[in-house]
Amino acid sequence: FLFARRGRRALLSLHPLAFLASPSSAAPPLAHMGCCADLFRCSSLSLLLISALFYTLLGAGIVTLGVLALTLPWAKIIVPDWYAGVTIGVGALILFVALFGYLAFCRKKNKCSISIYMLFCLLLCCTTVASTVVLFRYSDALHLAKESKFVNVTDWQREASESLKEGVEEIWEECGASVYNSDSVTYTDEFQVDADTPPYELRCTNSDFDDVAESINDQCLEAAFNDENFDEDNTDFLECYTSSSWWAPEARSSTLGKLNTPKGVFCACYEEFADFVDAYFFVGKWVSFGFAVFFGLTFLGCCYLCCCSKPAAPARTSQQEYAQQPYAQHGQQPPPQQKGATILRP
């Protein structure tokens, strides 16, 4: 009987269409599915490890910036102590979350670590998407405000302009700034100078801001109100300075008197100020967009590891391989084996 069964299988295997009925014909699709699953799993684990390393560097960098803000003299002037403390706390939180990323990578069966890390990636993804939208809007608004010479700005243009206003006023106050004319005379409330003799020069009493003053002088202030473009420069300057839609001007009669105010220096150099800030917006918005994509892919990878990925099958023993050899030769599946049963080769 056994001889007849084996002889019948041998005859069927000689038929030209026998491979269509063979169970081994289904092996290639399953093999391809296994390769795709391995690829997805490897990609997800790679994103998990890279993101954990990134969070480690990011957290350490934020903590370092917070410590520097508390120790450097010029940074303590600009950055409040509470803001530096919050920065250190945020950096420590990111380092703590990075620890869950390492645990999820090393203990792939631990769903708790992967779930916590996945939620944090989702939070960061939503945050970076929102920040990307805001940065793009601010960049466009700042560009439109510059084209209008910061006159009659509204809505998003007003928000972007007021951020510039706060920065200029803070630098002016901490610098102890004064603008002098070509005769080295400045404007004071007690001694009001009406003689406008360009070029003008910005000077700081605080030596920590000498580089800032030098940059403003080189970029725009020394070239402002020159003989060749005096009428155009003076018209644009007055139009910006007298506009009160977002920044009220101070009553000064002379150009030197107007330049000895934060808004006067800003209106003389509004193009340079706007281009300087817009350069950071340009880098920041695209970096934020890249982070949003990265955090989104990491979140999807964590979802795959947590919900779809299956652990790798344990390796077969030599005894199991030996028992399955005869069945593999005839395209059959071996019968299930019970624990403790003796494996007999058919």
Side-chain angles (χ1 to χ4, degrees):
F1 176 73
L2 292 175
F3 178 77
R5 288 187 61 185
R6 292 181 180 178
R8 182 171 173 269
R9 290 174 185 166
L11 291 175
L12 288 174
S13 63
L14 296 176
H15 194 276
L17 300 178
F19 69 93
L20 294 176
S22 175
S24 61
S25 63
L30 294 176
H32 289 306
M33 291 177 61
C35 292
C36 292
D38 292 340
L39 178 62
F40 290 153
R41 181 177 176 83
C42 181
S43 301
S44 300
L45 289 175
S46 299
L47 285 173
L48 182 63
L49 180 59
I50 293 173
S51 62
L53 292 173
F54 172 76
Y55 292 150
T56 302
L57 296 176
L58 179 63
I62 291 177
V63 170
T64 303
L65 291 176
V67 173
L68 291 177
L70 289 174
T71 55
L72 294 179
W74 62 269
K76 293 179 67 176
I77 295 175
I78 299 176
V79 182
D81 291 342
W82 68 266
Y83 188 84
V86 171
T87 301
I88 295 175
V90 171
L93 177 62
I94 294 176
L95 288 174
F96 181 71
V97 173
L99 178 62
F100 283 96
Y102 292 122
L103 290 176
F105 179 80
C106 296
R107 300 180 180 180
K108 304 174 182 61
K109 296 182 181 180
N110 190 348
K111 303 296 184 181
C112 180
S113 300
I114 298 178
S115 300
I116 294 176
Y117 195 73
M118 179 177 63
L119 292 176
F120 184 76
C121 290
L122 177 61
L123 176 62
L124 280 182
C125 181
C126 296
T127 303
T128 50
V129 167
S131 64
T132 302
V133 173
V134 171
L135 287 174
F136 270 92
R137 290 292 302 271
Y138 260 76
S139 180
D140 294 339
L142 188 62
H143 182 71
L144 293 174
K146 186 183 75 171
E147 289 184 348
S148 66
K149 304 173 185 178
F150 291 89
V151 177
N152 297 326
V153 294
T154 56
D155 299 332
W156 280 88
Q157 298 179 32
R158 183 185 180 91
E159 294 291 334
S161 301
E162 287 182 349
S163 64
L164 275 177
K165 170 189 173 182
E166 293 175 0
V168 172
E169 286 180 336
E170 190 168 4
I171 292 176
W172 180 273
E173 182 179 355
E174 298 298 335
C175 168
S178 297
V179 176
Y180 293 79
N181 61 11
S182 60
D183 298 329
S184 296
V185 178
T186 187
Y187 177 94
T188 60
D189 293 334
E190 296 80 10
F191 180 65
Q192 299 183 7
V193 178
D194 294 330
D196 296 327
T197 53
Y200 301 101
E201 180 183 1
L202 176 68
R203 301 176 187 176
C204 291
T205 57
N206 189 347
S207 59
D208 293 335
F209 290 84
D210 287 343
D211 294 337
V212 177
E214 183 179 357
S215 178
I216 293 175
N217 291 326
D218 294 340
Q219 293 293 329
C220 67
L221 197 56
E222 290 181 354
F225 312 106
N226 57 55
D227 296 335
E228 296 179 358
N229 301 320
F230 178 80
D231 293 336
E232 181 181 357
D233 293 341
N234 191 52
T235 301
D236 294 344
F237 171 75
L238 291 177
E239 188 176 2
C240 172
Y241 186 82
T242 56
S243 175
S244 57
S245 60
W246 63 284
W247 194 346
E250 298 182 31
R252 301 287 175 88
S253 58
S254 64
T255 301
L256 182 61
K258 294 181 177 67
L259 287 175
N260 273 275
T261 62
K263 187 176 183 180
V265 173
F266 172 79
C267 289
C269 307
Y270 69 85
E271 291 184 350
E272 287 75 13
F273 278 116
D275 292 339
F276 177 80
V277 175
D278 188 60
Y280 284 94
F281 274 134
F282 179 81
V283 175
K285 64 186 181 183
W286 288 111
V287 170
S288 180
F289 176 78
F291 283 160
V293 174
F294 175 74
F295 293 144
L297 292 176
T298 305
F299 170 74
L300 293 177
C302 292
C303 290
Y304 176 79
L305 292 175
C306 187
C307 304
C308 304
S309 178
K310 296 181 179 180
R316 295 178 180 177
T317 62
S318 58
Q319 190 178 19
Q320 291 173 337
E321 291 287 345
Y322 174 78
Q324 291 185 357
Q325 286 179 3
Y327 298 98
Q329 293 175 359
H330 301 289
Q332 296 179 344
Q333 294 292 332
Q337 299 292 336
Q338 298 181 354
K339 293 184 178 180
T342 303
I343 299 176
L344 299 177
R345 179 170 182 172

